Amino acid sequence: MLAGEVLKKFDFEGCELINVDDRSEPEAQLQGKTLCAENNILYLQNPGKGIQMATHTVMKFVKENRPNCKWLICFQHDTYPLTEGFFTRIGELARSGKIDQFGVLGFNMLDLGEYCLEDHECWKEGEEPLSGLALFHLSVKHTEQRVILPHRTDLVSSRPELYTEPFIAEFPMWTVVGINVEKWFEHITPTEDYEFHLWMPDICVQFMAANVECLILPKLYYMNNQHIKERYGIPKCSAGGARAGQHHFFGEYGPHLINFKKRWGWDYEDIDNGFPEVLEKYKGTLIDKYYHHDPTTGPLKSYHLGNY
């Protein structure tokens, strides 16, 4: 997929691409190393297991070898940027210092219509739809409606005057995320408990517990085409694939939910299962503030960053 998708669809605009291998078969590792060498791509081997540990591997390399790098942008294998100058615009924000305080960046996800309906077509016509933006994990108690996607809720799209500016949310749509290098080392303890599923929600909760915000940038769009995976013999849906026993690609389905509740005290899929009992523990943090926030009145906080 690195050769067939990433190198064909991405314009890195001078940014460095780093590939982390997460326990591939020896033959696949050799292929990856060869491909990276041929295309001047840095190849790293994850000594641990899962995306959190792979991210930590990159973070340690960047801290030691790229001291001027402020942000790491993580793409899943079925995504690619749509907005022209995607990386340049993030770089300009980083150099301006306007996003130094945030731990995570989220963007505006589009697809071919399965979840985002006609929003991709609207975007191609020059509109700026509020599409796949975030998960209001604590402020919306209904499991389906807390995922800010057009086919599930109009909570945001029906209130464009409230959500057009960059705003903070509990979780981004984590198919593509930005992570602050400095904040990672200040607040994040990576774990192998989330091999693939919930790797980013756990990171965001760690940041929320430290009152470090996740900022959503609605004007920066990317495509999430899940069908890309099928070209390479990988199930389209990670959750469905894991439930069907495709552990090789996605890890086992289930332990991530157990580990999330064990670590944080509430059920990821039903927050009222456990959260009231641990609320006092998180008093004064963003966790507490989001839980008591009503997003129909707008985001907990928004920021004017100018033309980014």
Side-chain angles (χ1 to χ4, degrees):
M1 293 183 73
L2 177 60
E5 304 298 332
V6 176
L7 295 181
K8 291 181 179 180
K9 289 187 169 69
F10 280 65
D11 177 1
F12 291 100
E13 306 164 44
C15 294
E16 182 177 18
L17 171 61
I18 300 177
N19 181 77
V20 185
D21 182 90
D22 188 19
R23 302 171 298 110
S24 295
E25 299 294 334
E27 182 180 351
Q29 290 184 29
L30 180 59
Q31 291 175 348
K33 290 176 181 177
T34 301
L35 179 63
C36 287
E38 292 173 348
N39 290 276
N40 196 31
I41 299 169
L42 178 64
Y43 177 98
L44 298 176
Q45 191 67 46
N46 182 12
K49 179 179 71 173
I51 300 182
Q52 281 198 14
M53 301 310 296
T55 304
H56 192 56
T57 297
V58 182
M59 288 292 187
K60 289 192 295 183
F61 176 87
V62 166
K63 184 178 181 180
E64 295 170 4
N65 299 279
R66 306 289 190 270
N68 294 324
C69 178
K70 290 185 173 183
W71 287 87
L72 185 70
I73 311 298
C74 304
F75 283 80
Q76 289 190 10
H77 39 279
D78 53 4
T79 61
Y80 52 90
L82 289 174
T83 299
E84 184 177 355
F86 186 91
F87 296 106
T88 299
R89 295 180 188 209
I90 298 172
E92 290 172 351
L93 282 174
R95 284 187 291 274
S96 73
K98 294 178 180 179
I99 55 175
D100 286 355
Q101 73 193 68
F102 304 104
V104 172
L105 297 178
F107 309 102
N108 201 337
M109 186 192 84
L110 297 173
D111 67 8
L112 299 180
E114 188 169 359
Y115 299 112
C116 299
L117 306 181
E118 71 280 357
D119 281 353
H120 183 228
E121 295 301 317
C122 294
W123 176 81
K124 289 194 293 184
E125 294 297 321
E127 298 180 31
E128 294 184 332
L130 296 171
S131 200
L133 289 167
L135 274 79
F136 292 171
H137 174 71
L138 295 167
S139 51
V140 175
K141 308 306 184 282
H142 190 285
T143 303
E144 293 293 318
Q145 295 177 1
R146 67 186 184 182
V147 184
I148 306 305
L149 284 168
H151 84 300
R152 291 194 177 185
T153 180
D154 66 350
L155 191 156
V156 167
S157 59
S158 64
R159 299 169 174 82
E161 72 282 2
L162 300 177
Y163 284 96
T164 299
E165 291 280 9
F167 64 90
I168 65 171
E170 294 97 307
F171 307 154
M173 297 298 291
W174 64 89
T175 39
V176 178
V177 296
I179 307 176
N180 186 317
V181 176
E182 182 178 348
K183 299 296 185 187
W184 176 277
F185 287 104
E186 288 178 359
H187 301 292
I188 300 304
T189 301
T191 177
E192 295 185 354
D193 288 346
Y194 312 95
E195 188 170 353
F196 180 75
H197 296 106
L198 300 192
W199 77 275
M200 177 49 64
D202 176 78
I203 296 298
C204 290
V205 177
Q206 290 189 61
F207 276 134
M208 285 193 288
N211 284 322
V212 178
E213 298 167 340
C214 163
L215 183 70
I216 310 300
L217 299 171
K219 290 185 181 294
L220 296 185
Y221 290 85
Y222 70 92
M223 169 59 67
N224 179 25
N225 180 2
Q226 290 184 303
H227 295 282
I228 287 174
K229 297 195 287 287
E230 295 176 314
R231 302 173 192 168
Y232 302 88
I234 302 172
K236 176 178 74 74
C237 175
S238 61
R243 288 191 184 101
Q246 298 286 343
H247 302 158
H248 176 73
F249 297 113
F250 308 114
E252 185 179 354
Y253 193 90
H256 61 294
L257 297 172
I258 296 170
N259 292 330
F260 186 92
K261 185 170 184 179
K262 181 179 179 181
R263 191 172 205 183
W264 299 111
W266 70 87
D267 190 305
Y268 175 82
E269 295 184 337
D270 178 12
I271 61 170
D272 283 330
N273 179 2
F275 194 90
E277 288 77 16
V278 299
L279 178 59
E280 190 64 30
K281 178 180 178 181
Y282 301 111
K283 208 73 174 175
T285 70
L286 282 169
I287 296 171
D288 173 37
K289 293 173 183 177
Y290 278 123
Y291 184 75
H292 291 101
H293 176 64
D294 177 6
T296 64
T297 65
L300 186 63
K301 192 184 300 183
S302 59
Y303 291 86
H304 180 66
L305 302 183
N307 186 23
Y308 62 91

